[in-house]
Amino acid sequence: MNIKKFIIGLFILTLSTTGYAQVSSKKTLTLDGAMKVISAAVDYAKKKNAPGAAIAVVDDGGNLIALERLDGTFAAGSNISIGKARTAALFKKPTKGFEDIIAKGRTSMVALQDFTPLQGGVPITLDGEIVGAIGVSGAASAQQDEEIAVAGANAVSSATPSLSVAYFDKNKVSAAFAKGAPLIEISNYKVHASRRTEPGIAEVHVKDTDIIYMLEGSATLVTGGEVVDGKTTATDEVRGKEIKGGETRNITKGDVIIVPAGVPHWFKEVKGPVIYYVVKVS
Amino acid sequence: MRQIIMSFSLALLFLSSVVIADLPVKNVLTLDAANKIVEAAEAEAMKRGATVVIAVVDDGGYLILLERLDDTQVASVDVAIGKARTAAIFRRPSKVFEDQVREGRIAAIALPGATPLQGGIPILYNGKVIGAIGVSGNTPQEDEDIAKAGAAAAAQAIKGEKK
């Protein structure tokens, strides 16, 4: 009896594996993910003082997952934002491309079904796969609609840690150090190839810990204390004129210094071009 | 120069207050309040393990906020919007029309802009309809219960927002 059951079980198992082999799996955007996209888009819209925005997030089938219309945005914006998102998802392209094609004379393209060829729809990509799209309508201009959409789409794209290996050859690295530029910025860490020729202003990163390795030059670094005239300049970033109090150190080539998240720091004086490698962990 | 500007703006102020005095004022549902309404409905849905779409529209029936809970059938997006829109523009629960049809008034199906299915509830403020919530994805009764939980939170949400 038991053997019989076992054999039946095996048989079912075989059947089901065959069944699995015929479908492929695909990442899907959750409501949580969609809300993250919308909140990043709203943040951007507010930062840019957009007069309004309706923001829609759809899945890979163009079906709405979440929508928000900011106070004061014209009512028609909701449907237009859904249309833009849907078009970007189903055609797997930013909608601006279609607006451009039509503007250049391919007017008959407007006859396509389920098609809103207006700038402001952008696909949401996860690990190289399009999982949905965001559409924005009701901001200051078509250009701003799109900027808000891009800001939203990036929130999810960068929220997923990349599993691929990042490699920067020495030319790329020295080019980055030559002007002081980020090498990589993803949600859980950032790596900057920093260069400084002049003193800086006081900085506080609310979420990022700075791990600094001095490669060239020397500087006077003030840490701790209080930021004078501190203002929030971006999400989780405070900047101020200078630091009152705190600890002053002279840091030079070869030194490593770690500034925990939330601690003010200020490159008060800089001798020669200072080149330093920074890992920002959040 | 400054005086000219001053009197000019005074004149403007006067003009605009005259205009305002001539028109009735209506209250408008904000995104913040809509968020709180959806939150309450979502909590109710979670409690029941229901997968639904929750839509909130303004008094013109236009979408302010929508959330589709994970795993909810996609067709419910349009149905939820339809129910909310019905409750908003007809200023009554969408169930009224479902009941009418069931009781034999088949013609109610032909009403322009109406989705005659229960699950759409108006959102009231000071006795006026300022918007509506629509829920779709589960049994008709459950959709309606979840919508009601959202609408019931409206009074609190709007009061909370005024502070």
Side-chain angles (χ1 to χ4, degrees), chain A residues 117-185:
Chain A
L118 297 170
Q119 182 175 15
V122 174
I124 297 168
T125 309
L126 258 186
D127 291 342
E129 230 178 328
I130 289 174
V131 294
I134 172 172
V136 178
S137 170
S141 61
Q143 178 64 30
Q144 193 175 56
D145 285 348
E146 181 167 78
E147 282 169 18
I148 294 170
V150 168
N154 284 343
V156 159
S157 308
S158 58
T160 320
S162 167
L163 294 175
S164 55
V165 173
Y167 169 73
F168 307 94
D169 67 34
K170 57 178 186 257
N171 296 329
K172 235 184 218 170
V173 175
S174 47
F177 274 118
K179 53 181 192 283
L183 285 176
I184 188 169
E185 290 196 327

Side-chain angles (χ1 to χ4, degrees), chain B residues 26-29 57-62 64 88-89 91 129-132:
Chain B
K26 72 169 184 177
N27 288 299
V28 176
L29 187 57
V57 299
D58 64 16
D59 61 341
Y62 292 102
I64 296 175
I89 64 177
R91 298 183 178 171
V129 174
I130 56 168

Side-chain angles (χ1 to χ4, degrees), chain A residues 158-234:
Chain A
S158 58
T160 320
S162 167
L163 294 175
S164 55
V165 173
Y167 169 73
F168 307 94
D169 67 34
K170 57 178 186 257
N171 296 329
K172 235 184 218 170
V173 175
S174 47
F177 274 118
K179 53 181 192 283
L183 285 176
I184 188 169
E185 290 196 327
I186 59 176
S187 71
N188 42 352
Y189 64 86
K190 303 179 185 81
V191 177
H192 287 189
S194 299
R195 177 194 186 88
R196 193 179 277 286
T197 51
E198 282 170 15
I201 53 173
E203 303 180 8
V204 179
H205 315 305
V206 176
K207 290 213 176 118
D208 288 345
T209 292
D210 277 5
I211 303 166
I212 299 170
Y213 180 27
M214 294 287 289
L215 297 175
E216 255 176 57
S218 65
T220 307
L221 183 73
V222 183
T223 54
E226 255 178 72
V227 176
V228 178
D229 295 335
K231 285 189 187 73
T232 301
T233 53

Side-chain angles (χ1 to χ4, degrees), chain B residues 66-134:
Chain B
L66 179 141
E67 289 192 15
R68 169 156 59 95
L69 303 187
D70 292 344
D71 277 337
T72 305
Q73 57 181 12
V74 294
S76 285
V77 170
D78 285 340
V79 180
I81 298 172
K83 288 177 180 179
R85 184 176 155 76
T86 305
I89 64 177
F90 290 93
R91 298 183 178 171
R92 67 197 84 183
S94 55
K95 183 178 190 298
V96 170
F97 301 110
E98 176 158 4
D99 290 347
Q100 284 185 359
V101 173
R102 184 176 297 117
E103 283 154 19
R105 194 183 173 214
I106 313 294
I109 296 174
L111 281 169
T115 300
L117 296 169
Q118 81 179 109
I121 304 285
I123 294 166
L124 293 156
Y125 183 72
N126 284 346
K128 294 238 185 223
V129 174
I130 56 168
I133 176 171

